[in-house]
Amino acid sequence: VRPGDTVLLKPNFVAPFPQAATDLGIIAAVVEAVRAVGGRPVIAESAGFEFDTEGTFRLLGVRDWADKAGVPLLNLDHAPFVPVPVEIKPYSTLEISRCALEADVLVNLPKLKRHNLTYVTLGIKNLMGLLSRDSRRLLHAFGLARGLAALAQIVRPKLTILDALTVTTRAVYGETAPLGIVAAGRDVVAMDCYGCHLLGADPKRIAHIREAERHGLGTSRYQVIGGRELERSEFRSLPDFRSLKERLYRLFSRAMYLADLPYARVFPSRSLIPMVHYWLGLRPHLEKRLCNRCGACAEACLVD
């Protein structure tokens, strides 16, 4: 980072739950380090389809923190996107946030988690928030592995800092355990392989990591410097992503995004996905015996 550089920080704010998001203390430390060498930090993110990005910023406390710290916080749902040609089929173009393409330096700040569809969500997967929602639909419908490799071929972080202070068994909901690690490296593929080691996953079996290495975007070989090689975190109930239940879930998820493609064409800026998640996963259960009708839950609800 040189004096005057715009440094885009890409955290993971996929959902309004702290255990699923990049730790704000790590982000604050990176902001301080960037400013110390004369850089201009900017934070940019878009939440998952199920959630409202601005509401996610608010409930995580990120909006208030950014305002006090004087750091621009960009809601990529309202940012301009640029269609960029890609070389990895079946995709011809991807719509990527202009701020990511114009930044002098990109610092990637993923959260260490498992994921139902890609098995792990680490540095490469974290770049997905820089895509328009239309491009994210395409990747989910026609193949995440090649789509993520195509994205990583265009948007290359100068540094990936992995938040492994805690580790979670799924992308949003799941068992969370302390791990107490912050790891950083310049090679996003190597960082993802190290993250797989911490999660107890074989990076050779993770399709998007395999694709990224095959296209020369990094190496699976790495050496841990400045800390000991830690054993992977153990969970009492690590999901078996090879089970019939999980395979049916992935099949249903792909069908959901395929159906959402024509729906979004007919009804721009709308999506079936929040409705599906509402009825099948996110619909709250109110315990009437404990409810005093204060209305706080309605004000906080991000799925309306």
Side-chain angles (χ1 to χ4, degrees):
V1 176
R2 297 170 181 171
D5 278 356
T6 297
V7 182
L8 187 69
L9 310 184
K10 171 57 181 73
N12 186 327
F13 295 148
V14 67
F17 310 111
Q19 72 273 15
T22 304
D23 183 79
L24 198 52
I26 292 177
I27 298 170
V30 175
V31 165
E32 183 180 345
V34 168
R35 284 175 167 169
V37 294
R40 175 179 173 267
V42 177
I43 301 170
E45 175 64 310
S46 172
F49 273 89
E50 310 94 305
F51 305 102
D52 173 72
T53 298
E54 197 58 44
T56 297
F57 289 166
R58 178 172 52 82
L59 288 183
L60 288 174
V62 179
R63 178 59 71 189
D64 287 344
W65 173 85
D67 289 344
K68 291 176 183 176
V71 181
L73 175 61
L74 306 182
N75 179 345
L76 295 183
D77 290 347
H78 308 303
F81 292 88
V82 178
V84 180
V86 298
E87 300 173 359
I88 300 176
K89 302 302 179 186
Y91 305 98
S92 57
T93 61
L94 292 177
E95 293 179 344
I96 299 176
S97 173
R98 180 179 293 170
C99 66
L101 299 173
E102 295 179 349
D104 297 298
V105 176
L106 173 65
V107 177
N108 196 11
L109 297 163
K111 176 74 178 175
L112 181 72
K113 295 182 290 185
R114 282 281 200 165
H115 193 276
N116 293 72
L117 303 181
T118 57
Y119 302 105
V120 298
T121 175
L122 299 162
I124 297 172
K125 176 68 169 62
N126 193 51
L127 298 174
M128 198 167 186
L130 299 173
L131 291 173
S132 71
R133 291 191 179 259
D134 281 345
S135 286
R136 286 153 70 178
R137 285 187 186 94
L138 286 173
L139 262 64
H140 279 94
F142 296 109
L144 279 165
R146 291 184 178 180
L148 289 171
L151 173 61
Q153 196 172 44
I154 299 165
V155 181
R156 300 199 182 192
K158 297 289 187 181
L159 184 67
T160 296
I161 303 174
L162 178 64
D163 172 7
L165 295 176
T166 61
V167 56
T168 305
T169 55
R170 294 183 186 273
V172 176
Y173 306 103
E175 183 183 352
T176 300
L179 197 55
I181 294 174
V182 178
R186 294 185 180 184
D187 185 322
V188 68
V189 175
M191 283 299 303
D192 276 15
C193 290
Y194 177 66
C196 285
H197 167 74
L198 296 176
L199 289 168
D202 181 358
K204 294 179 181 179
R205 301 187 66 177
I206 309 299
H208 67 274
I209 298 176
R210 205 169 55 239
E211 281 288 320
E213 185 175 24
R214 188 168 72 86
H215 284 89
L217 306 182
T219 176
S220 58
R221 297 187 300 273
Y222 64 85
Q223 180 183 2
V224 178
I225 300 170
R228 61 190 178 92
E229 182 82 5
L230 295 174
E231 294 300 321
R232 71 179 177 89
S233 177
E234 295 289 349
F235 291 101
R236 294 176 186 172
S237 56
L238 194 65
D240 181 7
F241 291 108
R242 294 171 294 177
S243 69
L244 178 61
K245 176 183 175 182
E246 295 292 343
R247 289 180 182 182
L248 289 174
Y249 174 88
R250 288 193 292 275
L251 184 64
F252 174 78
S253 177
R254 188 167 185 175
M256 178 176 64
Y257 281 98
L258 279 168
D260 201 43
L261 285 170
Y263 181 84
R265 294 290 185 272
V266 177
F267 302 102
S269 75
R270 293 178 62 182
S271 172
L272 290 169
I273 296 167
M275 289 183 277
V276 173
H277 276 275
Y278 174 79
W279 288 106
L280 298 183
L282 294 175
R283 186 168 54 168
H285 169 74
L286 301 181
E287 191 64 59
K288 294 181 180 179
R289 181 176 57 86
L290 300 175
C291 177
N292 62 5
R293 305 187 69 80
C294 69
C297 61
E299 292 178 9
C301 184
L302 297 183
V303 291
D304 200 24

